[in-house]
Structure formats: C-alpha cells, structure tokens
Amino acid sequence: MMKEIDELVKDINLAEEVMELSGENPYDCYQCGTCSASCPFIEEMDLKPDEVIRYVVLNRKEVLKSKTIWICASCFECAERCPRDINITKLMEALRQIILRKNVDYTEIEKIGEEEKRTIPQIAFVSLFRKNVG
Ligand code: SF4
Ligand code: SF4
C-alpha cells in the first residue's frame, strides 16, 4: 500500500497541489512553531504541524504517510494563531484530499493498530470518521 501511494504521487508537486486545493501558501511559513505549540493533539502526532508544512515546501512525499494529517481534528487553534495567517487546518485537509482522491484509504478502523486505538483521543477518531464519511 505504501509503495502504491509513493507511485501515485511521484509526479506531483506537493506545495502546488496544496495551494490549489486549499488556497493556502505553504511558502509563507517562516517556521516559528506557533502552530505546533497551539495544537491540542501534538502528543499523538508523528510530525508536528510546522514540520508538515516544511515537508510540503520541500516536496517530501513521506508527509502523506504521516499519522498527523489524520489525527488533526480540524480545531483551527493553529490557524487562529499563525502570525503569517496560514490556515494550517485547510492545509491538512488538502493533504488528506490528495490521498483520498487517489483512492488510498488509511482511515478504516481495522487498519488502526491497538496501541494507537488506546492512545489516540476519542475526539480525533470522531473527527477522522466524520471527515471520512462527510
Ligand atoms: S504558525 Fe504559521 S508561520 Fe509559524 S510555523 Fe506554523 S504555519 Fe509556519
Ligand atoms: S487544526 Fe489540526 S493541526 Fe491545527 S491545532 Fe487543531 S488538531 Fe492541531
């Protein structure tokens, strides 16, 4: 499955895709870390929100395999505090869209490990499944 997503996205430019889907410009980010400091789910994430943006700018496709983009609960805390006025919430959504539009689904309950089920907050699951069916 991972190889498959690598293959599917190998020709895209992440920053351009994200800009097209979200209208947000990841190049505006100056890596201050405020988004990560404001995120209530940071402990559950494997990449911090500011790292997600950095990966997008660098076109590092492994960001699409990150748990972070699915754990993001679309709470807008980061977006409200970003000094560069980047809506990180929309940017995360754009990354999920890139995957979903390729018909690669990482959000089925049976694919989530037991350890993750124990540690990921309930609200993150609710948000994830809402996004998945919405
Ligand atoms: S708060 Fe805004 S400028 Fe700062 S790291 Fe996050 S996205 Fe970049
Ligand atoms: S919108 Fe997502 S990344 Fe931003 S603070 Fe909320 S959970 Fe964290």
Side-chain angles (χ1 to χ4, degrees), residues 29-62:
C29 172
Y30 60 12
Q31 291 287 294
C32 68
T34 304
C35 48
S36 300
S38 347
C39 179
F41 297 106
I42 193 77
E43 296 295 326
E44 326 301 332
M45 293 175 168
D46 50 1
L47 284 180
K48 295 184 292 179
D50 64 294
E51 290 174 324
V52 167
I53 310 231
R54 189 81 191 134
Y55 275 45
V56 168
V57 166
L58 296 173
N59 201 27
R60 289 181 62 176
K61 309 283 172 46
E62 61 263 45

